[in-house]
Amino acid sequence: MRVADKWRDYELIDCSCGERLERWGNVVLIRPDPQVIWKTEKKNPLWHSADAVYHRSQSGGGSWEIRKKIPDFWTVGYRDLTFNIKTMGFKHTGLFPEQAVNWDYVADVIKSAGRQVKVLNLFAYTGGATVSALKAGASVVHVDASKGMTLWAKENAVSSGVSDLPVRWIVDDCIKFVQREIRRGNRYDIIIMDPPSYGRGPGGEVWKLENEIYSFTELCSQLLSDDPLMMLINSYTTGLSPSVMEYILGSVVKKRFSGTVHGSEIGLKTTENGLVLPCGASAFWTKHK
């Protein structure tokens, strides 16, 4: 497992009984997490004095209980990046801190390329990978179907000091965008994708990751340049293991370009007891080892 252990402004303090106890800057939150099926004793006093708690509803969704006054939004830093955080619907804060291991990996590939690198970030959410790639020196095309998330990503770019760097912000269905890019003849050196487990397109099209990921990977591979550097698939879908994603990248991308494929879980270390919480899985194809 690759662990995102370079944070200063984020801390997974403890986790038990289906919940995380977290520090985001100076704000302490309790949020549900279905991975946390153990029921260890909640010894840390912050369990009883968190600033806000997200309660799930029996009928789906849920709501925040704000116990202390917290800002409408605040910032957290990761290395030389700055992100805007807020309590939002369905327990989210606008950032997945475990993704820092992927940001760092992609940034290292960009910096070591020795040339201009074009990055396509699909299902790009609030732009963690986008701002990291920009800071590393790449040009980026950021694509997400949500206008609100794209506006948030632009705010993160401003906060991180990269808004004036070469980036295109695209609000669109990712599959349709990729199809158009293929027809246009555009190509990218790095492709990042973090697709949802389930969703519906603007025309009511159903997206189920297990059914679509292979064909979508094949489609995206047509956008790789003649000398590509990396393709990354990230997933929070329980049934899609790192090994499965490795096999997909191996059979689609490695078969064409050679290179190396590897995958692993990504996670966060718990301060209270040193346990590492699994938070998803990623697989990479890279041109070089």
Side-chain angles (χ1 to χ4, degrees):
M1 184 185 297
R2 294 181 301 125
V3 181
D5 56 3
K6 303 294 191 297
W7 281 96
R8 295 293 177 267
D9 283 356
Y10 172 83
E11 179 186 8
L12 178 59
I13 302 166
D14 196 7
C15 48
S16 181
C17 302
E19 293 181 314
R20 296 186 189 190
L21 177 66
E22 305 169 297
R23 178 181 62 83
W24 296 81
N26 295 322
V27 178
V28 176
L29 304 177
I30 296 174
R31 299 190 296 153
D33 190 321
Q35 290 276 68
V36 184
I37 61 174
W38 48 90
K39 299 180 180 179
T40 49
E41 186 179 355
K42 295 180 175 180
K43 297 180 179 179
N44 195 298
L46 289 173
W47 280 110
H48 307 290
S49 60
D51 298 296
V53 182
Y54 188 89
H55 299 287
R56 276 217 168 118
S57 168
Q58 296 293 331
S59 58
S63 61
W64 285 97
E65 175 195 355
I66 306 300
R67 295 178 172 177
K68 301 178 184 178
K69 185 174 177 58
I70 60 174
D72 293 334
F73 71 91
W74 64 101
T75 61
V76 298
Y78 179 74
R79 293 188 161 179
D80 54 355
L81 306 174
T82 301
F83 299 104
N84 297 282
I85 303 299
K86 61 183 176 182
T87 53
M88 55 186 291
F90 197 63
K91 78 177 182 179
H92 292 303
T93 62
L95 197 67
F96 293 89
E98 64 275 7
Q99 284 297 321
V101 292
N102 289 336
W103 306 336
D104 289 346
Y105 198 133
V106 174
D108 287 345
V109 170
I110 293 168
K111 292 173 183 176
S112 63
R115 58 181 171 91
Q116 181 61 44
V117 175
K118 290 178 63 179
V119 175
L120 175 61
N121 188 14
L122 299 167
F123 310 98
Y125 195 50
T126 59
T130 295
V131 297
S132 178
L134 287 168
K135 186 74 81 168
S139 62
V140 182
V141 174
H142 171 112
V143 187
D144 196 277
S146 168
K147 183 177 180 180
M149 292 302 104
T150 304
L151 289 172
W152 196 335
K154 290 181 179 181
E155 292 168 1
N156 285 334
V158 171
S159 296
S160 292
V162 296
S163 60
D164 59 340
L165 298 180
V167 56
R168 291 174 59 207
W169 307 101
I170 308 293
V171 178
D172 201 354
D173 176 84
C174 286
I175 295 176
K176 293 179 179 178
F177 176 81
V178 169
Q179 291 169 337
R180 284 198 300 274
E181 287 291 271
I182 292 170
R183 293 194 295 269
R184 293 169 181 145
N186 290 330
R187 298 294 181 264
Y188 298 88
D189 303 303
I190 295 176
I191 297 176
I192 302 166
M193 64 172 86
D194 191 359
S197 300
Y198 180 85
R200 288 188 180 273
E205 309 91 338
V206 175
W207 164 279
K208 191 174 182 182
L209 185 58
E210 297 94 324
N211 297 339
E212 305 291 345
I213 188 61
Y214 188 86
S215 59
F216 188 61
T217 302
E218 284 187 312
L219 191 69
C220 289
S221 70
Q222 297 178 54
L223 287 180
L224 288 169
S225 66
D226 293 335
D227 186 21
L229 297 171
M230 173 184 285
M231 190 166 183
L232 159 65
I233 304 173
N234 187 76
S235 170
Y236 291 98
T237 302
T238 306
L240 197 62
S241 70
S243 297
V244 169
M245 293 190 292
E246 275 190 58
Y247 186 77
I248 292 171
L249 287 173
S251 60
V252 173
V253 185
K254 183 180 178 181
K255 182 179 179 180
R256 177 181 169 192
F257 292 103
S258 189
T260 303
V261 176
H262 61 95
S264 64
E265 289 185 293
I266 57 177
L268 296 164
K269 183 173 285 189
T270 306
T271 305
E272 188 74 11
N273 54 22
L275 173 143
V276 177
L277 176 67
C279 298
S282 298
F284 294 89
W285 168 84
T286 52
K287 184 70 175 293
H288 307 289
K289 293 184 179 180

